[in-house]
Amino acid sequence: RLLTSAAHLHTHGHTINWPIPHNQPINLPTYPFQHQRYWINPTGDSRMNLSGAGLSVAGHPLLGAAVELAGTDTHLFTGRLSLQSHPWLADHAVAGTVLLPGTGFLELALQAGHHVGCDTIEELTL
């Protein structure tokens, strides 16, 4: 409240005279400021286990989690593909760009279909 009142007085043209102790040095840190990271470092297991977010574990190396959308017969599947968790992806580069091979898409479709009771894929267009 003191600072708010002082700001109010200052904005209305009054001079604020703060008592400043003279001849007292202000100690500043002599080292670089320390930075701490507060994010949890994910492990290999925690990247694929999203049960804490309300999703069930899909039990597949490419699919991380599955959830049935409320009030529908629709399912949502999610996963994370990266060169750190799937280093074999680096072998599938075209002109310097890493691509998921067609068999990877087929595997994702088969796994999602198996999860909802569909065991065959009649057509897959990429």
Side-chain angles (χ1 to χ4, degrees):
R1 179 66 193 151
L2 173 68
L3 293 176
T4 302
S5 298
H8 184 72
L9 288 170
H10 177 73
T11 57
H12 285 88
H14 299 281
T15 303
I16 307 296
N17 187 10
W18 295 100
I20 299 174
H22 295 286
N23 299 328
Q24 291 185 4
I26 299 173
N27 294 326
L28 295 176
T30 58
Y31 56 89
F33 291 101
Q34 296 175 349
H35 298 281
Q36 288 184 323
R37 207 183 131 121
Y38 292 101
W39 297 104
I40 297 173
N41 290 326
T43 61
D45 294 338
S46 67
R47 287 184 182 135
M48 297 303 284
N49 185 358
L50 300 175
S51 59
L55 303 173
S56 61
V57 177
H60 190 269
L62 299 179
L63 290 176
V67 66
E68 184 175 355
L69 300 180
T72 67
D73 287 335
T74 306
H75 290 77
L76 173 70
F77 298 92
T78 184
R80 181 180 207 170
L81 297 174
S82 72
L83 293 175
Q84 288 79 25
S85 60
H86 302 90
W88 54 268
L89 284 173
D91 295 335
H92 300 278
V94 176
T97 302
V98 176
L99 301 173
L100 181 66
T103 53
F105 286 106
L106 179 61
E107 179 62 28
L108 289 170
L110 281 170
Q111 182 63 26
H114 179 72
H115 190 77
V116 297
C118 300
D119 293 328
T120 59
I121 295 177
E122 292 181 14
E123 183 178 348
L124 179 66
T125 304
L126 300 176

